[in-house]
Amino acid sequence: MTKPTLLAALAAGLLASAAVPAQAQYFNRIASFPVALNTPDIEAEENSAEIITATEDGMILVYSNALVGGIGFIDITDVANPQPGGFVELDGGPTSVSVIGGKALVSVDTTEDFTAPTGYLAVVDIETLEVDSMCDLGGQPDAIARNGNGSLIAISMENQRDEDFNDGVIPQLPSGNVTFLDVAEGTPDCSSLRVTDISGLADIAGEDAEPEYTDFNSANELVVTLQENNHIVVINGDSGEVISHFSAGSVDLEGIDTEEDGQLSFTGSQQARLREPDAVQWLDEDRFVIANEGDYEGGARGFTIFHKDGTELYESGPSMEYIAAQLGHYPEGRSDAKGVEPEGMEVGFWDDETLIFVNQERSSLVAVYRDTGGEPEYIQSVPSGVGPEGALAIPSRNLYVTANETDLSADGLAPAHVMIFERQDVEAPDYPQIMSAMNEDGTPIGWVALSGLVADADEVGKLYAVNDSYLSIMPTIYTIDATQSPAMITEAMLVTRDGAVAEALDLEGITLDGEGGFWLASEGRTDRDIPHMLYRVDGEGAIVEEVSFPEALLANEIRFGAEGISPLGEGEDMVLWIAIQREWGDDPEGMTKLVSYKPSTGEWGAVHYPLETPAEGAWVGLSEITINGDYAYIVERDNQIAGNAQLKKLYRVPVAELVGAEIGGELPVVSKQEVRDFIPDLEALNGYVLDKVEGFAIDADGIGWVVTDNDGVDDSSGETNFWSIGAVE
């Protein structure tokens, strides 16, 4: 199959998986657990969940938390309601964890000098949460793997490099190795420790082997990735002898985004891109699959299936990146590096099929495939917090679990979570709620950061959205077909000025101009030379009119400006109303402005809108205005996320009160009435509550639609929620 055909087939699979007439099996997220719940009494600015495993009955999850220095336990007896199970502090940084019987085996890094790496293996009793014993490993450990019956473990002793020395380039001795230990009743025998030397095998810095991930097959054969060496080794676990070894090879990538430049452009290429694999998992006794995250010289953005003799059986190429772009998860900020960065991986063995799960660190997605023995069949992608690393399938309970290592809570963003997905018999998966179609050239319609929404005046379920300044040289008006499930972005139209892509825009609002075009509201930011402006564009996206905010308004401006725009009246009588996000310099505390502009006369005015009182450390502002019938519907929200989120609501203001007074004078205060609390809607997908409800529109049939802004997948999970609230009164 040629590469364009393969990408088209995968895209078709994505569309088919999103809406099928008969029931099928898809994974839906059923619970999320913030790992900080396990460490409330430990002083730590950040928590993490990295490598994750479970007890043999699948009732308790165990994960490593290197940021705090220990392992956490989560009770999932009631899988939809996970509970804190305790935390065990360790001396050093845990790098991996495995479970055999009633024991958790934890590799711990205690290295203080990269030239003299140290570490140990801790044995933790799961019932008592006590450290039973320890084995000195004689170096810095990374991943642990156990064999099928729990009689043998293997530890990749990475003896990692100093990334601040020689730009992190290897060789940097000492070399790594693979260490084996025999296990009896869940406890390793320290005296059985034996080392397999894997130096001298790789063509790239072979004298400094840096093993990464490991996995046993049913024949007690261990596959090991040497990420920095771009090499793979297969070892007989019983004898410790190397069975085979070979280069992970390279990939010629075509049709990818290779520049961090504020646009999604899948026209670049990278030739001979080293795979530099991270995670590895056996599919059967002869085949295994690798995640090609890359390190300092490579990263092939996909996954590859090999025979253990080194024969390449399948290469995914950039197909996962296309899927991520269709789902609004493509991380444009990583285009010049390693794209979505496949990192963690799991293979799950269900009764009649084998599933492959590929965690993408930068897109925060997990791509799910069915092993066919040949080309894998794409099933779906699920959203997974920020930075999914750990991956765990529990087929006995129909579960898949991710551990998300990134904790941004210190910056007021999302904390680290463990997320649980259940395989269910359903007509379609819960996620995505919105996605894009493919262009005629086989590339996706790329999108992120939807920041404003308006409905077509005549066609039911037809909407238009804009993206904000995250895509700084790709200001776009998207056409959405909300009659499909998921909603489908069918067209993307660039906003242009004098025939070129318009610059210095931060589009936060869009509405119809009544003449086949649109009015757009751009939130200004003086420190970035983005003016506070209104733009009128024609039906092809060309700017035909530019309107600056009046001096009376700009005299007190701050960067939190226009967040929505909506018309009242038609033709010469049309008045545009603009929601200003927060208080400006001349506003009383707790009041922001709704600003009016009449295009036919150039007149400006304003009223005051009373904001809800924010929680301590938070702020509250507006993010959308939509006038329909007798009311102006306004989205008001705080800037909080996850467990800190308290206010994400829709209010309405009587149109009769929208009588603008002169800006600079005393402004009338409008009244408001709560219409809907969005937090239950945001909790419906069983993740954490997203912070930015940014768009609201009422279509030609009176149905209300809502969309969130995913911040361009920058310090964000990339999730976009899009849903209907039904008929709006």
Side-chain angles (χ1 to χ4, degrees), residues 621-678:
L622 309 185
S623 56
E624 183 66 287
I625 180 171
T626 298
I627 298 174
N628 185 268
D630 294 332
Y631 295 97
Y633 294 85
I634 293 176
V635 176
E636 186 175 349
R637 66 172 181 88
D638 61 18
N639 65 330
Q640 301 298 293
I641 195 168
N644 293 327
Q646 295 186 24
L647 178 65
K648 319 286 181 187
K649 290 185 177 182
L650 182 68
Y651 293 91
R652 68 183 188 183
V653 170
V655 163
E657 297 183 16
L658 294 182
V659 180
E662 182 179 355
I663 296 172
E666 185 175 351
L667 302 180
V669 179
V670 298
S671 62
K672 67 181 188 180
Q673 178 185 11
E674 182 178 327
V675 176
R676 189 179 183 94
D677 183 354
F678 288 138

Side-chain angles (χ1 to χ4, degrees), residues 690-704:
L690 303 178
D691 57 334
K692 292 189 174 181
V693 181
E694 289 279 294
F696 176 73
I698 301 172
D699 75 6
D701 207 23
I703 303 300

Side-chain angles (χ1 to χ4, degrees), residues 268-483:
S269 65
Q270 291 177 338
Q271 302 300 309
R273 187 73 170 178
L274 299 180
R275 289 189 170 102
E276 294 186 343
D278 196 349
V280 60
Q281 292 281 292
W282 288 96
L283 291 168
D284 51 37
E285 286 195 5
D286 296 317
R287 299 175 304 136
F288 57 80
V289 56
I290 58 173
N292 302 317
E293 179 201 22
D295 204 315
Y296 62 92
E297 297 253 344
R301 305 188 180 211
F303 66 95
T304 312
I305 297 175
F306 279 101
H307 190 280
K308 65 184 178 184
D309 65 6
T311 303
E312 181 183 322
L313 303 176
Y314 171 77
E315 166 58 44
S316 72
S319 58
M320 286 198 304
E321 299 210 316
Y322 282 27
I323 293 168
Q326 284 187 273
L327 302 183
H329 278 256
Y330 181 77
E332 203 283 321
R334 300 295 297 175
S335 291
D336 61 343
K338 297 172 285 184
V340 297
E341 289 193 33
E343 182 179 18
M345 174 174 281
E346 174 70 311
V347 169
F349 301 97
W350 268 255
D351 290 338
D352 56 349
E353 57 189 342
T354 299
L355 301 181
I356 303 167
F357 303 84
V358 187
N359 288 11
Q360 301 162 30
E361 180 182 7
R362 299 297 179 171
S363 72
S364 295
L365 283 172
V366 179
V368 186
Y369 296 82
R370 181 178 292 108
D371 177 33
T372 66
E375 180 182 316
E377 176 190 352
Y378 175 77
I379 300 173
Q380 68 177 122
S381 291
V382 296
S384 179
V386 184
E389 179 170 351
L392 174 67
I394 310 177
S396 63
R397 299 191 68 190
N398 249 3
L399 301 178
Y400 178 69
V401 181
T402 62
N404 302 282
E405 64 176 327
T406 305
D407 187 334
L408 303 171
S409 56
D411 296 323
L413 301 173
H417 281 71
V418 166
M419 294 190 170
I420 304 171
F421 303 83
E422 182 178 60
R423 200 178 191 204
Q424 301 172 343
D425 292 321
V426 291
E427 290 185 357
D430 293 340
Y431 195 87
Q433 295 177 314
I434 185 170
M435 59 178 289
S436 68
M438 300 289 282
N439 292 305
E440 291 183 358
D441 64 359
T443 60
I445 297 176
W447 63 278
V448 293
L450 301 183
S451 57
L453 201 63
V454 70
D456 188 83
D458 302 311
E459 190 171 338
V460 173
K462 185 175 183 179
L463 309 172
Y464 305 96
V466 288
N467 62 307
D468 66 20
S469 61
Y470 183 81
L471 296 180
S472 58
I473 60 172
M474 188 180 160
T476 304
I477 298 171
Y478 299 97
T479 302
I480 301 170
D481 180 358
T483 66

Side-chain angles (χ1 to χ4, degrees), residues 219-299:
N220 265 14
E221 295 170 336
L222 185 80
V223 61
V224 186
T225 57
L226 281 62
Q227 186 173 35
E228 289 80 7
N229 310 95
N230 195 42
H231 210 73
I232 297 168
V233 179
V234 181
I235 302 171
N236 183 311
D238 296 319
S239 67
E241 296 180 358
V242 173
I243 299 171
S244 65
H245 69 91
F246 45 89
S247 170
S250 63
V251 182
D252 291 335
L253 295 172
E254 303 287 348
I256 61 173
D257 193 340
T258 58
E259 296 185 25
E260 181 188 353
D261 57 2
Q263 65 178 326
L264 300 178
S265 177
F266 299 96
T267 59
S269 65
Q270 291 177 338
Q271 302 300 309
R273 187 73 170 178
L274 299 180
R275 289 189 170 102
E276 294 186 343
D278 196 349
V280 60
Q281 292 281 292
W282 288 96
L283 291 168
D284 51 37
E285 286 195 5
D286 296 317
R287 299 175 304 136
F288 57 80
V289 56
I290 58 173
N292 302 317
E293 179 201 22
D295 204 315
Y296 62 92
E297 297 253 344

Side-chain angles (χ1 to χ4, degrees), residues 529-543:
D529 295 324
I530 300 175
H532 297 274
M533 295 283 287
L534 303 181
Y535 300 95
R536 187 167 68 86
V537 301
D538 64 19
E540 296 181 351
I543 295 175

